[in-house]
Amino acid sequence: MEKIGVVGCGLMGSGIAEVAARRGLDVMITEADQASLTRGKSRIESSLSRAAKNGKISASDVEATLAKLHFETDLSAHFDRDLVVEAIVENESAKIDIFTILDKVVESPTAILASNTSSIPIMKLGVATSRPQQVIGIHFFNPVPVLPLVELVTSLLTSDETAISATNFAKNTLGKRVIRSKDRAGFIVNALLIPYILSAIRMMESGFATAEDIDAGMVEGCAHPMGPLALCDLIGLDTTMAVADSLYQEFKEPLYAPPPLLLRMVEAGLMGRKSGRGFYDYKKK
């Protein structure tokens, strides 16, 4: 795979595009509008600048990486890609729309269509195309240039050839650690992580303990690198709620249901670090 497409240039999409370009791949990035594309490009440039400043890459590496990146607002720009990774908002209907379009515009009969979804079953995306055997989940973790893990998720219809190619791409080309998951909402990581975060939110919501004490308890008492509420702010409260919704719809378990506090915060636009305020106020910090 030499020509890679990335749909979406938010936190995840920009990270995926950066990692692929740094590995010498030709990367086409598309966004819904020019403003979003400009923000995404700036995000990648800032990330590369930080990497160069910290001595992880050279100035020539930055230039070579940027030369591998192409930016468009039309999904048809992915017509010649070997692999396209969808990395838009965690919304099932929006993702299905993207896969329906990609199925029509990506010309290669062997091209793989992948989703970076953190919770939506891959089967739902695969059946929206005429090639469900070539649809797979390749779930990266934020920040993509730093975290080494990738969850590979195959549906009942994903072919062995697709799984092998996707594994080689993530492991051998991008240098990621690959773990395999069955096609269930939440996969491995979020099926374990989200109930933990929701429990912390309920604890704070009930007045049992403050956000600071809950996070300090898990960091200082359990050696976690970050507390659950700070982690929720990093992930994004809207993304956490979307994953919780997917898990609840799949399993109907009460522990997966988003707490009222989470719903109200998302409605108020308190999304965490990306909005400047969540369980903590990052504007003050």
Side-chain angles (χ1 to χ4, degrees):
M1 296 181 187
E2 297 181 352
K3 294 184 176 182
I4 307 301
V6 179
V7 181
C9 201
L11 287 173
M12 296 304 296
S14 61
I16 295 167
E18 177 188 335
V19 168
R22 283 173 65 171
R23 291 284 179 157
L25 301 176
D26 183 90
V27 183
M28 174 61 68
I29 308 165
T30 56
E31 256 292 1
D33 54 65
Q34 190 59 49
S36 299
L37 205 59
T38 300
R39 287 194 297 271
K41 184 177 181 181
S42 177
R43 188 178 290 111
I44 294 173
E45 291 171 343
S46 296
S47 177
L48 290 171
S49 178
R50 286 194 301 272
K53 184 178 180 180
N54 293 332
K56 295 180 180 178
I57 59 175
S58 65
S60 60
D61 290 333
V62 173
E63 292 182 8
T65 299
L66 292 173
K68 289 290 184 178
L69 297 167
H70 314 284
F71 300 85
E72 296 289 344
T73 56
D74 189 344
L75 283 173
S76 64
H78 296 298
F79 75 98
D80 63 345
R81 302 290 100 176
D82 303 312
L83 165 70
V84 181
V85 181
E86 167 275 312
I88 66 168
V89 63
E90 193 70 359
N91 179 281
E92 183 179 315
S93 61
K95 289 180 183 292
I96 287 174
D97 288 344
I98 293 295
F99 272 80
T100 301
I101 296 171
L102 289 175
D103 185 42
K104 296 175 182 176
V105 302
V106 178
E107 296 178 356
S108 172
T110 60
I112 294 174
L113 305 182
S115 177
N116 181 58
T117 179
S118 54
S119 63
I120 297 169
I122 299 304
M123 180 65 78
K124 293 184 177 182
L125 305 178
V127 296
T129 75
S130 63
R131 52 179 113 182
Q133 72 279 4
Q134 290 158 237
V135 176
I136 194 167
I138 304 179
H139 178 214
F140 295 82
F141 290 82
N142 183 39
V144 181
V146 176
L147 295 186
L149 188 66
V150 164
E151 281 183 318
L152 198 76
V153 187
T154 55
S155 79
L156 292 173
L157 298 179
T158 304
S159 70
D160 291 340
E161 292 79 8
T162 296
I164 292 170
S165 294
T167 300
N168 287 335
F169 167 71
K171 181 179 179 180
N172 300 327
T173 303
L174 299 187
K176 297 292 187 180
R177 167 74 163 89
V178 176
I179 59 176
R180 298 286 294 270
S181 172
K182 298 295 185 181
D183 190 21
R184 301 289 185 271
F187 315 133
I188 296 172
V189 174
N190 281 313
L192 295 170
L193 175 64
I194 295 301
Y196 162 65
I197 291 177
L198 298 182
S199 293
I201 296 173
R202 292 189 186 99
M203 183 176 283
M204 177 188 169
E205 184 178 42
S206 69
F208 188 87
T210 65
E212 291 80 2
D213 285 348
I214 291 169
D215 281 352
M218 298 311 295
V219 172
E220 303 298 334
C222 297
H224 287 201
M226 182 180 291
L229 299 176
L231 179 57
C232 186
D233 278 351
L234 178 63
I235 295 170
L237 274 68
D238 53 338
T239 301
T240 300
M241 189 175 77
V243 176
D245 282 334
S246 292
L247 286 165
Y248 185 71
Q249 289 299 318
E250 178 99 330
F251 300 107
K252 300 298 188 295
E253 293 282 354
L255 76 162
Y256 293 133
L261 176 60
L262 179 60
L263 299 176
R264 296 295 89 78
M265 292 179 74
V266 171
E267 289 169 350
L270 307 178
M271 305 299 186
R273 285 180 178 269
K274 60 187 173 185
S275 70
R277 181 182 166 193
F279 292 102
Y280 298 93
D281 192 336
Y282 298 93
K283 294 178 181 177
K284 288 184 179 180
K285 288 184 179 182

